[in-house]
Amino acid sequence: MEGPTPVSALIHAATMVTAGVFLIARSSPLYEYAGTILEFITIMGAATVGLLQNDLKRVIAYSTCSQLGYMVFACGLSNYSVGIFHLANHAFFKALLFLGAGSIIHAVADEQDMRKMGGLKNLVPFTYSMMVIGSLALIGFPFLTGFYSKDLILEVAYGKYTAYGHFSYYLGTFGAFLTAFYSTRLLYLTFLSKPNGYKLVICNAFDSSYQICAALACLAIPSIFIGYNTKDMIVGLGTDFWGTAIYVQPTNMNMFDAEFVTSFYKLLPVCLSLLGTTLAFLLYTFQSRLLFQIKTSFLGKKIYNFLNKKWFFDKVYNEFIGQFFFKFGYSVSYKIVDRGIFEILGPHGLSTLILKKSSNLYKLQTGYLYHYTFIILIGSTLLLGSREFWLIFGNFVDYRVIAIFFLSSFFIINMKHKN
């Protein structure tokens, strides 16, 4: 989120989302024969969302988490094509939202806090229109792009008729309600509320250049129409769009079952999305005092702080995991291994040992011939004696014992010299 908005748009619309979901879909032959892993992916993939963020880009970024959850649990239910379909649809309206956020940030002098915006509807009308289209597509508003893939994921989840399939359906449906709520909250705080920022900044807000507006318009068109136009081609019954790229066991196919899910469960996600939109609009428009009272209550502070701090994930990661590895890296890896074992066995210890031994050998260079003759005599005697010893006792004594004996004798002699 610290980088330029086009980079954020590219990451959230393409690279970050594509990597995991694409690999799961392409590895479908492996997952299809690992049923337990599929169930695990289903449950872990149903992601929760950040509901009370105040940074404009962070709200959109955390919506990617929930959408990524939809894609992954669709793959966990063996509906890989549906997951990839939502991935492709999500790319358009998420890129539209991020580039629209960039247009807003440019308009208000690089301000990203939604609490310092407001009243931008009439000042940046084109950007407002684009953000409305992107937000409606994100919440799965009927007949926009997100509706055709997001609701299909929930239908195939319920049509699985298993415990984890129904669990994913209800969790995804609740996620749809939350997505609608915070998307409407974003639109209200940014465009519809009374201006809350600096007067000079708000009064000088402007729509972006023609190049940026043209990019937003190009993304808005597929955000409206691409889901309807490509659904039958990509995930329609009997389509051969994927060929052999995706493999699904016949026992795991449930697209026909999803077609006959009762209307109540098909309409429930849409109704909850509309309910979330309406509730957010009414609360922030007419009941702002009630929201303030809830936030400032004892329990409200705890809940607000918990959600605003992203479930304290960063705190847990930094203080428990990060600090543990930091201390381990310094006290164990650096002080004991790098500066200890490696230095003793490596350059420092080896060079010190060579210097000491070379100085001892240097003392043997006395310059007297009878000293050299004596050393040659002792060396020849030890060499011949060791050869004869090996010929006599080699069959009875293990050579490893002899090696240990000589090494231990060497170290004992050195220790005595030091003392």
Side-chain angles (χ1 to χ4, degrees):
M1 290 302 96
E2 304 304 324
T5 310
V7 175
S8 302
L10 181 64
I11 290 171
H12 283 262
T15 53
M16 182 183 74
V17 177
T18 303
V21 179
F22 176 80
L23 286 175
I24 291 175
R26 286 294 286 147
S27 304
S28 56
L30 300 176
Y31 288 110
E32 283 301 293
Y33 290 100
T36 306
I37 298 300
L38 278 177
E39 296 178 17
F40 177 77
I41 289 172
T42 302
I43 294 171
M44 293 301 292
T48 55
V49 294
L51 190 61
L52 294 173
Q53 298 298 312
N54 296 313
D55 189 297
L56 178 65
K57 288 175 68 178
R58 287 187 185 276
V59 174
I60 304 171
Y62 279 104
S63 75
T64 305
C65 296
S66 66
Q67 301 306 308
L68 188 57
Y70 284 116
M71 300 172 206
V72 174
F73 84 64
C75 293
L77 295 168
S78 296
N79 291 284
Y80 306 97
S81 59
V82 180
I84 296 293
F85 181 47
H86 188 55
L87 184 153
N89 289 346
H90 168 264
F92 293 106
F93 54 78
K94 187 50 62 71
L96 175 62
L97 284 170
F98 264 111
L99 292 180
S103 179
I104 297 168
I105 293 167
H106 280 303
V108 292
D110 296 336
E111 180 59 64
Q112 293 186 207
D113 194 334
M114 295 186 298
R115 296 170 296 182
K116 298 179 181 178
M117 298 180 189
L120 298 177
K121 174 185 174 183
N122 298 323
L123 298 174
V124 287
F126 184 81
T127 303
Y128 169 67
S129 304
M130 297 298 101
M131 290 296 287
V132 169
I133 293 172
S135 297
L136 291 177
L138 173 64
I139 69 176
F141 192 82
F143 312 115
L144 294 185
T145 290
F147 169 76
Y148 291 99
S149 55
K150 185 176 178 179
D151 282 43
L152 181 60
I153 288 175
L154 297 175
E155 287 176 21
V156 297
Y158 191 86
K160 203 72 176 177
Y161 296 107
T162 58
Y164 62 92
H166 285 179
F167 171 77
S168 301
Y169 170 82
Y170 289 117
L171 201 59
T173 304
F174 180 65
F177 169 79
L178 295 180
T179 302
F181 187 91
Y182 66 67
S183 296
T184 308
R185 174 177 175 267
L186 180 148
L187 291 175
Y188 180 82
L189 293 177
T190 307
F191 297 103
L192 304 176
S193 66
K194 293 179 181 179
N196 294 312
Y198 297 106
K199 180 179 179 181
L200 186 64
V201 172
I202 298 296
C203 290
N204 290 322
F206 56 92
D207 253 327
S208 298
S209 63
Y210 291 111
Q211 293 91 335
I212 295 177
C213 291
L216 294 176
C218 291
L219 288 168
I221 295 171
S223 296
I224 301 172
F225 300 111
I226 197 75
Y228 172 77
N229 288 323
T230 59
K231 180 182 177 183
D232 288 336
M233 177 182 73
I234 296 178
V235 294
L237 292 172
T239 180
D240 195 33
F241 179 80
W242 298 104
T244 58
I246 294 175
Y247 170 74
V248 182
Q249 286 196 89
T251 55
N252 289 336
M253 291 182 180
N254 70 320
M255 285 294 287
F256 287 102
D257 298 327
E259 290 290 324
F260 296 100
V261 171
T262 55
S263 299
F264 174 79
Y265 294 105
K266 288 188 176 184
L267 294 175
L268 183 60
V270 182
C271 294
L272 283 180
S273 294
L274 297 177
L275 175 63
T277 301
T278 307
L279 184 64
F281 181 77
L282 293 177
L283 284 176
Y284 279 92
T285 305
F286 303 107
Q287 297 294 331
S288 57
R289 185 178 296 276
L290 174 63
L291 287 175
F292 178 76
Q293 291 174 352
I294 292 173
K295 286 180 183 179
T296 53
S297 65
F298 177 76
L299 183 61
K301 284 181 181 179
K302 300 294 183 184
I303 296 174
Y304 183 88
N305 196 32
F306 178 70
L307 294 178
N308 185 257
K309 296 296 183 182
K310 298 163 284 187
W311 291 37
F312 293 106
F313 180 82
D314 290 344
K315 182 179 178 64
V316 172
Y317 181 83
N318 290 329
E319 293 190 6
F320 293 97
I321 301 176
Q323 284 296 318
F324 169 77
F325 281 107
F326 179 78
K327 291 177 181 176
F328 176 84
Y330 177 73
S331 58
V332 178
S333 178
Y334 175 72
K335 293 182 71 175
I336 296 177
V337 179
D338 288 350
R339 301 290 295 172
I341 297 173
F342 286 167
E343 284 292 337
I344 292 171
L345 297 178
H348 180 72
L350 188 61
S351 60
T352 305
L353 180 66
I354 291 174
L355 282 173
K356 288 182 179 179
K357 298 307 172 186
S358 60
S359 63
N360 291 334
L361 289 175
Y362 172 75
K363 294 176 182 178
L364 297 177
Q365 306 299 319
T366 60
Y368 296 106
L369 183 61
Y370 59 87
H371 285 170
Y372 298 151
T373 308
F374 180 66
I375 291 172
I376 292 171
L377 180 62
I378 291 175
S380 303
T381 305
L382 288 174
L383 184 63
L384 294 173
S386 60
R387 178 178 179 279
E388 290 297 322
F389 177 84
W390 185 256
L391 290 175
I392 298 172
F393 298 103
N395 295 327
F396 308 103
V397 181
D398 192 343
Y399 70 92
R400 290 169 292 190
V401 176
I402 300 173
I404 292 171
F405 172 75
F406 280 112
L407 286 174
S408 58
S409 302
F410 174 76
F411 284 115
I412 289 169
I413 294 169
N414 278 345
M415 291 294 292
K416 287 182 178 179
H417 280 302
K418 289 180 181 178
N419 294 331

